Amino acid sequence: MSTAAAHAHSPQEILAQESKRYYAFVNLAMFLSLFTGIEIVIIFVRFPPAVLMTVLVTVSIVKFFCVIFWFMHLIYDAPLLTILFLAGMVLAAGTMIALLGLMERSDIDPATLHDSLASPPASSVAWDANLG
C-alpha cells in the first residue's frame, strides 16, 4: 500500500470521523452516568436483597463491558486481543469465585474482628436479658 493511498482521506473526512467518535464517547459517558445514577437510587429503594444484588451486578457488568470496549478501544482492536482479554477476565473471576467459595464468615476468628462486627458471647446476652 502506498503512502498516497493511505492518506487519501481529506481533512474534512478525517474531521467528520473524529467528530463521530467524539460524540460516541460523550454519549457513552452520559449512558454510564445515567446507569450510575440508577445504581445510587436503587440502593436507597427497599428491594429484597436478591433482587437488589442481581440488578446491581447486572448494571455493573453492562458498565464494565462498555468501558472496556470503548474506552480501552477493544472495539477497534483485532478480535484475538479481545478474546485474550476476556479469557484473562474469566480466569480471574473464576479464581475469585473459587476463593469466596472456600471461605465463610464462620471461618473467621471473632477475636480478630472489629468490636462492632463481632457478635457478643451468648453468656453476656443472657446476662443483659436478666437485667431488664
Side-chain angles (χ1 to χ4, degrees):
M1 177 190 262
S2 69
T3 57
H7 299 290
H9 298 292
S10 69
Q12 289 81 13
E13 291 173 343
I14 294 172
L15 183 62
Q17 288 176 354
E18 289 300 317
S19 293
K20 184 188 266 186
R21 283 187 181 175
Y22 171 77
Y23 287 114
F25 283 117
V26 169
N27 288 336
L28 181 62
M30 293 298 166
F31 173 76
L32 292 173
S33 62
L34 174 72
F35 265 7
T36 301
I38 289 171
E39 285 176 328
I40 291 170
V41 168
I42 211 164
I43 289 172
F44 293 106
V45 177
R46 300 279 180 180
F47 282 116
V51 172
L52 180 70
M53 290 306 295
T54 303
V55 170
L56 289 176
V57 167
T58 303
V59 170
S60 295
I61 289 171
V62 169
K63 286 172 51 176
F64 171 77
F65 279 106
C66 288
V67 168
I68 66 164
F69 278 118
W70 277 280
F71 290 128
M72 291 178 62
H73 306 288
L74 284 180
I75 200 166
Y76 306 114
D77 284 343
L80 177 64
L81 296 174
T82 303
I83 291 169
L84 289 173
F85 180 81
L86 292 178
M89 289 301 301
V90 167
L91 184 64
T95 303
M96 182 189 74
I97 290 169
L99 287 174
L100 288 174
L102 289 174
M103 295 180 259
E104 294 180 4
R105 185 155 176 92
S106 62
D107 295 334
I108 301 172
D109 181 18
T112 61
L113 292 177
H114 187 271
D115 292 336
S116 65
L117 297 177
S119 58
S123 61
S124 68
V125 172
W127 187 76
D128 289 340
N130 292 333
L131 288 179

